[in-house]
Amino acid sequence: EVTIMESLIREVVAKLSGTEAELDTAEDLVHWRERYNVDIELVGENHPVALNCGILLFRALHREGNQIEAERLLSKLVDTSRRIHGVEHNVTKEYSALLQKTKGRLVDLIAA
């Protein structure tokens, strides 16, 4: 099974070496979707492990071009982080900034 860190390292290496197109993003999407669902079943959606896995699922959705689903998931993760950590927590701020950036891209896609 691919760990979170292995997945992130593989992605960074691919970007740095110019082989990003060779990444199997469809396989990653399936993996992170399954992993996120299992985490929610095991620890609940309010657990930091589920939040972290949710972000990785968001990234996989985004890379595969599933922008609307990605934004909906990220919005849910932001709400969960606010509820658990509070508005001023660094995770909540990071997720919120990412959501604003994602919404801007989605508006650009719709307008095009």
Side-chain angles (χ1 to χ4, degrees):
E1 179 177 311
V2 177
T3 66
I4 293 169
M5 196 51 81
E6 288 170 339
S7 177
L8 294 173
I9 290 170
R10 185 178 59 181
E11 186 177 324
V12 168
V13 168
K15 284 181 180 180
L16 292 174
S17 66
T19 60
E20 196 172 2
E22 295 174 17
L23 288 175
D24 189 349
T25 56
E27 184 179 308
D28 278 353
L29 177 55
V30 169
H31 171 77
W32 292 119
R33 189 183 305 275
E34 288 174 2
R35 179 83 183 266
Y36 180 64
N37 290 332
V38 167
D39 283 354
I40 287 177
E41 284 181 31
L42 293 176
V43 297
E45 67 179 14
N46 295 332
H47 196 281
V49 169
L51 279 173
N52 189 42
C53 195
I55 283 296
L56 293 168
L57 174 56
F58 159 79
R59 293 176 70 209
L61 286 164
H62 195 267
R63 279 193 308 268
E64 275 296 296
N66 300 325
Q67 308 306 331
I68 293 172
E69 185 180 358
E71 183 184 327
R72 287 179 180 158
L73 174 62
L74 185 55
S75 182
K76 177 181 172 183
L77 295 172
V78 168
D79 290 343
T80 302
S81 185
R82 281 186 186 134
R83 194 173 58 252
I84 295 168
H85 300 301
V87 177
E88 293 301 316
H89 193 274
N90 61 336
V91 170
T92 304
K93 287 180 178 181
E94 180 183 334
Y95 290 6
S96 296
L98 187 55
L99 180 60
Q100 291 306 312
K101 194 175 186 182
T102 301
K103 283 185 176 186
R105 287 184 192 145
L106 187 59
V107 168
D108 292 342
L109 285 173
I110 293 170

